[in-house]
Amino acid sequence: MIKEMSHQKLILLYGALVFCHVFVSTVMVWAISWIFKDQGYGLAKILAFTFSNDSSKILFIYFLSMIYLKRFYSPTLDSKEANEITDTAESQPKNLEIKNGRQHHLVSFDAILCIKADSPYVLVQTEDNSYLHSSSLKKVGEELDSRFFKLHRSCIVNIDKVTSYQSRLNGDYDVCLSGHINVRLSRNYAKQFKAVIGDLITI
């Protein structure tokens, strides 16, 4: 989870951990002093002592810990989990079977640019051709893999085919795909789209 956090959330988590550490350690020292001494130390005095003597150490330790987790820590999978993931990936279809009357076409996911609702069909667009498919956009979406993203309620695009996008200044965007095909990105999906595109650029 830490590896996936934004810098803002990481800073908030860092601050919360330091605060909790200082608070818990202060209460513990205060409680122990009252148990083992005739007159215990005051909370304010202990808190002031902790800040003046230990704050730099606490900040440094948590800072190094979070840097390590963010950059270097990667959970490992046992052989069984790794095999299950591999088997799942291999079992996923790599082609979309398009049906139109008696005609059946197998179109590779790699070749698909976008899929649009065109009731009572869906239109599957590739760089070289377009196909009418006797199905709904929802059903087609369930057959696709993670590279496909819904831009609005009537269009799904292959993220790998996105070349650029530009704001319409009203919350919506124009997304350009390979082959100079433009589709509209709804403001309702814009935030998630930018997050997906950002992850791809980072990787």
Side-chain angles (χ1 to χ4, degrees):
M1 291 177 63
I2 288 178
K3 288 177 70 67
E4 298 173 356
M5 282 186 176
S6 64
H7 292 300
Q8 293 84 355
K9 291 183 178 179
L10 202 60
I11 291 171
L12 289 175
L13 177 60
Y14 176 59
L17 288 173
V18 171
F19 174 80
C20 290
H21 186 117
V22 172
F23 177 78
V24 171
S25 62
T26 299
V27 172
M28 287 180 63
V29 172
W30 173 81
I32 292 172
S33 71
W34 278 98
I35 293 172
F36 294 101
K37 294 178 67 69
D38 295 334
Q39 185 176 0
Y41 301 120
L43 279 174
K45 185 176 181 179
I46 299 172
L47 186 61
F49 179 84
T50 302
F51 271 113
S52 62
N53 290 274
D54 300 330
S55 58
S56 59
K57 299 175 186 176
I58 296 171
L59 292 168
F60 184 68
I61 290 171
Y62 277 107
F63 178 75
L64 288 183
S65 299
M66 299 193 76
I67 290 296
Y68 171 78
L69 291 172
K70 182 75 174 176
R71 293 192 177 181
F72 303 109
Y73 177 75
S74 179
T76 56
L77 299 176
D78 58 35
S79 58
K80 182 179 179 180
E81 291 174 326
N83 290 334
E84 288 177 353
I85 293 175
T86 302
D87 293 341
T88 301
E90 291 177 350
S91 65
Q92 290 179 339
K94 303 298 181 183
N95 300 293
L96 179 65
E97 183 179 0
I98 298 175
K99 304 173 185 177
N100 187 2
R102 292 185 298 173
Q103 292 185 332
H104 292 250
H105 300 277
L106 287 178
V107 179
S108 169
F109 285 169
D110 293 332
I112 297 174
L113 297 177
C114 62
I115 304 170
K116 300 179 180 179
D118 191 15
S119 184
Y121 303 97
V122 293
L123 179 68
V124 180
Q125 181 71 54
T126 67
E127 291 190 20
D128 303 321
N129 210 337
S130 60
Y131 306 87
L132 285 177
H133 180 29
S134 303
S135 184
S136 66
L137 195 67
K138 181 179 179 180
K139 289 182 179 179
V140 172
E142 292 172 352
E143 300 178 43
L144 303 173
D145 60 24
S146 59
R147 83 189 79 178
F148 290 90
F149 181 85
K150 196 170 186 179
L151 292 186
H152 53 79
R153 61 183 181 180
S154 60
C155 182
I156 297 174
V157 299
N158 185 342
I159 286 293
D160 292 342
K161 302 297 183 179
V162 174
T163 58
S164 64
Y165 64 97
Q166 181 177 348
S167 174
R168 290 187 175 186
L169 303 179
N170 64 351
D172 293 350
Y173 290 80
D174 286 314
V175 177
C176 184
L177 308 175
S178 302
H180 304 289
I181 294 177
N182 291 309
V183 290
R184 182 175 67 87
L185 166 63
S186 168
R187 69 194 71 184
N188 297 327
Y189 298 90
K191 184 176 180 179
Q192 187 179 357
F193 173 81
K194 291 178 183 178
V196 172
I197 290 294
D199 288 341
L200 292 176
I201 293 174
T202 301
I203 293 171

mmCIF file of all heavy atoms in Angstrom, residues 129-156:
data_model
loop_
_atom_site.group_PDB
_atom_site.id
_atom_site.type_symbol
_atom_site.label_atom_id
_atom_site.label_comp_id
_atom_site.label_asym_id
_atom_site.label_seq_id
_atom_site.Cartn_x
_atom_site.Cartn_y
_atom_site.Cartn_z
ATOM 1 N N ASN A 129 -9.735 -1.654 -39.993
ATOM 2 C CA ASN A 129 -11.109 -2.042 -40.302
ATOM 3 C C ASN A 129 -12.017 -1.692 -39.138
ATOM 4 O O ASN A 129 -11.570 -1.250 -38.081
ATOM 5 C CB ASN A 129 -11.169 -3.553 -40.574
ATOM 6 C CG ASN A 129 -12.257 -3.923 -41.550
ATOM 7 O OD1 ASN A 129 -13.230 -3.184 -41.715
ATOM 8 N ND2 ASN A 129 -12.103 -5.065 -42.206
ATOM 9 N N SER A 130 -13.305 -1.879 -39.341
ATOM 10 C CA SER A 130 -14.297 -1.728 -38.276
ATOM 11 C C SER A 130 -15.315 -2.845 -38.428
ATOM 12 O O SER A 130 -15.633 -3.273 -39.548
ATOM 13 C CB SER A 130 -14.976 -0.359 -38.337
ATOM 14 O OG SER A 130 -15.636 -0.170 -39.580
ATOM 15 N N TYR A 131 -15.837 -3.314 -37.273
ATOM 16 C CA TYR A 131 -16.731 -4.465 -37.271
ATOM 17 C C TYR A 131 -17.956 -4.158 -36.416
ATOM 18 O O TYR A 131 -17.840 -3.574 -35.337
ATOM 19 C CB TYR A 131 -16.029 -5.708 -36.697
ATOM 20 C CG TYR A 131 -14.734 -6.072 -37.360
ATOM 21 C CD1 TYR A 131 -13.538 -5.506 -36.932
ATOM 22 C CD2 TYR A 131 -14.693 -7.008 -38.397
ATOM 23 C CE1 TYR A 131 -12.327 -5.853 -37.526
ATOM 24 C CE2 TYR A 131 -13.490 -7.371 -38.996
ATOM 25 C CZ TYR A 131 -12.315 -6.778 -38.555
ATOM 26 O OH TYR A 131 -11.119 -7.130 -39.145
ATOM 27 N N LEU A 132 -19.119 -4.583 -36.900
ATOM 28 C CA LEU A 132 -20.328 -4.538 -36.096
ATOM 29 C C LEU A 132 -20.456 -5.858 -35.353
ATOM 30 O O LEU A 132 -20.328 -6.932 -35.948
ATOM 31 C CB LEU A 132 -21.556 -4.290 -36.975
ATOM 32 C CG LEU A 132 -21.755 -2.866 -37.490
ATOM 33 C CD1 LEU A 132 -22.975 -2.805 -38.404
ATOM 34 C CD2 LEU A 132 -21.908 -1.880 -36.339
ATOM 35 N N HIS A 133 -20.683 -5.768 -34.058
ATOM 36 C CA HIS A 133 -20.728 -6.960 -33.212
ATOM 37 C C HIS A 133 -22.086 -7.039 -32.535
ATOM 38 O O HIS A 133 -22.541 -6.064 -31.918
ATOM 39 C CB HIS A 133 -19.601 -6.866 -32.175
ATOM 40 C CG HIS A 133 -19.525 -8.021 -31.240
ATOM 41 N ND1 HIS A 133 -19.936 -9.304 -31.562
ATOM 42 C CD2 HIS A 133 -19.073 -8.089 -29.942
ATOM 43 C CE1 HIS A 133 -19.724 -10.099 -30.532
ATOM 44 N NE2 HIS A 133 -19.217 -9.391 -29.536
ATOM 45 N N SER A 134 -22.738 -8.188 -32.641
ATOM 46 C CA SER A 134 -24.061 -8.374 -32.054
ATOM 47 C C SER A 134 -23.933 -8.610 -30.548
ATOM 48 O O SER A 134 -23.992 -9.747 -30.073
ATOM 49 C CB SER A 134 -24.783 -9.560 -32.708
ATOM 50 O OG SER A 134 -24.883 -9.380 -34.098
ATOM 51 N N SER A 135 -23.756 -7.532 -29.805
ATOM 52 C CA SER A 135 -23.613 -7.636 -28.364
ATOM 53 C C SER A 135 -23.821 -6.242 -27.758
ATOM 54 O O SER A 135 -24.094 -5.278 -28.474
ATOM 55 C CB SER A 135 -22.219 -8.168 -27.995
ATOM 56 O OG SER A 135 -22.105 -8.348 -26.599
ATOM 57 N N SER A 136 -23.701 -6.150 -26.438
ATOM 58 C CA SER A 136 -23.795 -4.860 -25.764
ATOM 59 C C SER A 136 -22.404 -4.450 -25.286
ATOM 60 O O SER A 136 -21.510 -5.285 -25.132
ATOM 61 C CB SER A 136 -24.743 -4.940 -24.565
ATOM 62 O OG SER A 136 -24.213 -5.792 -23.557
ATOM 63 N N LEU A 137 -22.238 -3.162 -25.052
ATOM 64 C CA LEU A 137 -20.941 -2.670 -24.599
ATOM 65 C C LEU A 137 -20.570 -3.277 -23.243
ATOM 66 O O LEU A 137 -19.402 -3.571 -22.979
ATOM 67 C CB LEU A 137 -20.966 -1.134 -24.512
ATOM 68 C CG LEU A 137 -19.600 -0.456 -24.404
ATOM 69 C CD1 LEU A 137 -18.811 -0.641 -25.693
ATOM 70 C CD2 LEU A 137 -19.756 1.032 -24.104
ATOM 71 N N LYS A 138 -21.562 -3.475 -22.390
ATOM 72 C CA LYS A 138 -21.310 -4.049 -21.073
ATOM 73 C C LYS A 138 -20.769 -5.467 -21.187
ATOM 74 O O LYS A 138 -19.786 -5.833 -20.512
ATOM 75 C CB LYS A 138 -22.596 -4.045 -20.243
ATOM 76 C CG LYS A 138 -22.417 -4.614 -18.844
ATOM 77 C CD LYS A 138 -23.723 -4.569 -18.066
ATOM 78 C CE LYS A 138 -23.538 -5.174 -16.670
ATOM 79 N NZ LYS A 138 -24.803 -5.153 -15.892
ATOM 80 N N LYS A 139 -21.393 -6.294 -22.046
ATOM 81 C CA LYS A 139 -20.949 -7.675 -22.202
ATOM 82 C C LYS A 139 -19.559 -7.748 -22.820
ATOM 83 O O LYS A 139 -18.726 -8.556 -22.411
ATOM 84 C CB LYS A 139 -21.955 -8.451 -23.060
ATOM 85 C CG LYS A 139 -23.284 -8.721 -22.366
ATOM 86 C CD LYS A 139 -24.211 -9.531 -23.251
ATOM 87 C CE LYS A 139 -25.529 -9.808 -22.549
ATOM 88 N NZ LYS A 139 -26.458 -10.581 -23.421
ATOM 89 N N VAL A 140 -19.295 -6.876 -23.798
ATOM 90 C CA VAL A 140 -17.979 -6.855 -24.427
ATOM 91 C C VAL A 140 -16.920 -6.447 -23.405
ATOM 92 O O VAL A 140 -15.827 -7.014 -23.349
ATOM 93 C CB VAL A 140 -17.962 -5.896 -25.629
ATOM 94 C CG1 VAL A 140 -16.545 -5.713 -26.160
ATOM 95 C CG2 VAL A 140 -18.858 -6.424 -26.743
ATOM 96 N N GLY A 141 -17.244 -5.463 -22.575
ATOM 97 C CA GLY A 141 -16.300 -4.991 -21.567
ATOM 98 C C GLY A 141 -15.877 -6.086 -20.607
ATOM 99 O O GLY A 141 -14.739 -6.095 -20.126
ATOM 100 N N GLU A 142 -16.772 -7.029 -20.330
ATOM 101 C CA GLU A 142 -16.463 -8.130 -19.414
ATOM 102 C C GLU A 142 -15.493 -9.138 -20.029
ATOM 103 O O GLU A 142 -14.860 -9.913 -19.313
ATOM 104 C CB GLU A 142 -17.763 -8.840 -19.014
ATOM 105 C CG GLU A 142 -18.678 -7.968 -18.149
ATOM 106 C CD GLU A 142 -20.044 -8.602 -17.929
ATOM 107 O OE1 GLU A 142 -20.314 -9.646 -18.588
ATOM 108 O OE2 GLU A 142 -20.836 -8.064 -17.130
ATOM 109 N N GLU A 143 -15.356 -9.117 -21.361
ATOM 110 C CA GLU A 143 -14.454 -10.041 -22.047
ATOM 111 C C GLU A 143 -13.051 -9.475 -22.207
ATOM 112 O O GLU A 143 -12.116 -10.215 -22.509
ATOM 113 C CB GLU A 143 -15.013 -10.390 -23.433
ATOM 114 C CG GLU A 143 -16.378 -11.049 -23.421
ATOM 115 C CD GLU A 143 -16.890 -11.321 -24.836
ATOM 116 O OE1 GLU A 143 -16.074 -11.773 -25.662
ATOM 117 O OE2 GLU A 143 -18.071 -11.051 -25.111
ATOM 118 N N LEU A 144 -12.894 -8.168 -22.014
ATOM 119 C CA LEU A 144 -11.617 -7.504 -22.283
ATOM 120 C C LEU A 144 -10.685 -7.590 -21.083
ATOM 121 O O LEU A 144 -11.103 -7.897 -19.970
ATOM 122 C CB LEU A 144 -11.873 -6.042 -22.651
ATOM 123 C CG LEU A 144 -12.808 -5.810 -23.839
ATOM 124 C CD1 LEU A 144 -13.124 -4.327 -23.989
ATOM 125 C CD2 LEU A 144 -12.193 -6.361 -25.129
ATOM 126 N N ASP A 145 -9.398 -7.283 -21.324
ATOM 127 C CA ASP A 145 -8.433 -7.289 -20.226
ATOM 128 C C ASP A 145 -8.201 -5.868 -19.709
ATOM 129 O O ASP A 145 -8.900 -4.928 -20.106
ATOM 130 C CB ASP A 145 -7.122 -7.960 -20.646
ATOM 131 C CG ASP A 145 -6.451 -7.269 -21.826
ATOM 132 O OD1 ASP A 145 -6.708 -6.063 -22.034
ATOM 133 O OD2 ASP A 145 -5.667 -7.921 -22.539
ATOM 134 N N SER A 146 -7.207 -5.724 -18.841
ATOM 135 C CA SER A 146 -7.019 -4.466 -18.102
ATOM 136 C C SER A 146 -6.526 -3.310 -18.952
ATOM 137 O O SER A 146 -6.509 -2.171 -18.495
ATOM 138 C CB SER A 146 -6.036 -4.689 -16.946
ATOM 139 O OG SER A 146 -4.792 -5.140 -17.440
ATOM 140 N N ARG A 147 -6.109 -3.550 -20.178
ATOM 141 C CA ARG A 147 -5.627 -2.453 -21.018
ATOM 142 C C ARG A 147 -6.777 -1.597 -21.567
ATOM 143 O O ARG A 147 -6.543 -0.518 -22.105
ATOM 144 C CB ARG A 147 -4.792 -3.000 -22.167
ATOM 145 C CG ARG A 147 -5.589 -3.491 -23.362
ATOM 146 C CD ARG A 147 -4.755 -4.211 -24.379
ATOM 147 N NE ARG A 147 -4.492 -5.575 -23.964
ATOM 148 C CZ ARG A 147 -3.815 -6.450 -24.698
ATOM 149 N NH1 ARG A 147 -3.320 -6.089 -25.865
ATOM 150 N NH2 ARG A 147 -3.636 -7.688 -24.269
ATOM 151 N N PHE A 148 -8.014 -2.077 -21.420
ATOM 152 C CA PHE A 148 -9.157 -1.352 -21.965
ATOM 153 C C PHE A 148 -9.821 -0.506 -20.880
ATOM 154 O O PHE A 148 -10.023 -0.961 -19.754
ATOM 155 C CB PHE A 148 -10.155 -2.326 -22.585
ATOM 156 C CG PHE A 148 -9.636 -2.960 -23.857
ATOM 157 C CD1 PHE A 148 -8.920 -4.147 -23.800
ATOM 158 C CD2 PHE A 148 -9.839 -2.357 -25.083
ATOM 159 C CE1 PHE A 148 -8.418 -4.725 -24.951
ATOM 160 C CE2 PHE A 148 -9.353 -2.927 -26.248
ATOM 161 C CZ PHE A 148 -8.628 -4.109 -26.179
ATOM 162 N N PHE A 149 -10.154 0.723 -21.252
ATOM 163 C CA PHE A 149 -10.677 1.689 -20.282
ATOM 164 C C PHE A 149 -11.931 2.358 -20.856
ATOM 165 O O PHE A 149 -11.979 2.720 -22.033
ATOM 166 C CB PHE A 149 -9.615 2.760 -19.994
ATOM 167 C CG PHE A 149 -10.041 3.781 -18.989
ATOM 168 C CD1 PHE A 149 -9.894 3.540 -17.638
ATOM 169 C CD2 PHE A 149 -10.603 4.981 -19.393
ATOM 170 C CE1 PHE A 149 -10.292 4.488 -16.703
ATOM 171 C CE2 PHE A 149 -11.015 5.927 -18.477
ATOM 172 C CZ PHE A 149 -10.855 5.681 -17.126
ATOM 173 N N LYS A 150 -12.933 2.540 -20.015
ATOM 174 C CA LYS A 150 -14.181 3.155 -20.427
ATOM 175 C C LYS A 150 -14.070 4.673 -20.327
ATOM 176 O O LYS A 150 -13.842 5.231 -19.251
ATOM 177 C CB LYS A 150 -15.333 2.656 -19.552
ATOM 178 C CG LYS A 150 -16.709 2.938 -20.122
ATOM 179 C CD LYS A 150 -17.768 2.190 -19.321
ATOM 180 C CE LYS A 150 -19.146 2.338 -19.965
ATOM 181 N NZ LYS A 150 -20.180 1.590 -19.221
ATOM 182 N N LEU A 151 -14.212 5.354 -21.468
ATOM 183 C CA LEU A 151 -14.108 6.816 -21.506
ATOM 184 C C LEU A 151 -15.426 7.492 -21.156
ATOM 185 O O LEU A 151 -15.440 8.578 -20.585
ATOM 186 C CB LEU A 151 -13.664 7.293 -22.887
ATOM 187 C CG LEU A 151 -12.235 6.953 -23.313
ATOM 188 C CD1 LEU A 151 -11.938 7.623 -24.629
ATOM 189 C CD2 LEU A 151 -11.224 7.362 -22.267
ATOM 190 N N HIS A 152 -16.504 6.898 -21.567
ATOM 191 C CA HIS A 152 -17.840 7.322 -21.154
ATOM 192 C C HIS A 152 -18.775 6.134 -21.367
ATOM 193 O O HIS A 152 -18.316 5.039 -21.708
ATOM 194 C CB HIS A 152 -18.323 8.586 -21.893
ATOM 195 C CG HIS A 152 -18.260 8.500 -23.394
ATOM 196 N ND1 HIS A 152 -19.200 7.843 -24.137
ATOM 197 C CD2 HIS A 152 -17.375 9.013 -24.283
ATOM 198 C CE1 HIS A 152 -18.908 7.958 -25.424
ATOM 199 N NE2 HIS A 152 -17.796 8.656 -25.545
ATOM 200 N N ARG A 153 -20.041 6.319 -21.137
ATOM 201 C CA ARG A 153 -20.951 5.158 -21.097
ATOM 202 C C ARG A 153 -21.112 4.459 -22.442
ATOM 203 O O ARG A 153 -21.670 3.360 -22.497
ATOM 204 C CB ARG A 153 -22.322 5.596 -20.588
ATOM 205 C CG ARG A 153 -23.016 6.633 -21.438
ATOM 206 C CD ARG A 153 -24.324 7.036 -20.799
ATOM 207 N NE ARG A 153 -25.048 8.018 -21.608
ATOM 208 C CZ ARG A 153 -26.219 8.533 -21.277
ATOM 209 N NH1 ARG A 153 -26.797 8.157 -20.139
ATOM 210 N NH2 ARG A 153 -26.811 9.420 -22.056
ATOM 211 N N SER A 154 -20.627 5.053 -23.514
ATOM 212 C CA SER A 154 -20.802 4.431 -24.830
ATOM 213 C C SER A 154 -19.492 4.199 -25.571
ATOM 214 O O SER A 154 -19.496 3.986 -26.784
ATOM 215 C CB SER A 154 -21.733 5.285 -25.705
ATOM 216 O OG SER A 154 -21.192 6.576 -25.900
ATOM 217 N N CYS A 155 -18.354 4.239 -24.865
ATOM 218 C CA CYS A 155 -17.075 4.043 -25.556
ATOM 219 C C CYS A 155 -16.013 3.457 -24.620
ATOM 220 O O CYS A 155 -15.842 3.916 -23.485
ATOM 221 C CB CYS A 155 -16.577 5.367 -26.132
ATOM 222 S SG CYS A 155 -15.020 5.228 -27.053
ATOM 223 N N ILE A 156 -15.307 2.452 -25.114
ATOM 224 C CA ILE A 156 -14.165 1.851 -24.431
ATOM 225 C C ILE A 156 -12.957 1.968 -25.349
ATOM 226 O O ILE A 156 -13.070 1.735 -26.563
ATOM 227 C CB ILE A 156 -14.425 0.358 -24.118
ATOM 228 C CG1 ILE A 156 -15.605 0.206 -23.150
ATOM 229 C CG2 ILE A 156 -13.182 -0.309 -23.535
ATOM 230 C CD1 ILE A 156 -16.026 -1.244 -22.911
#
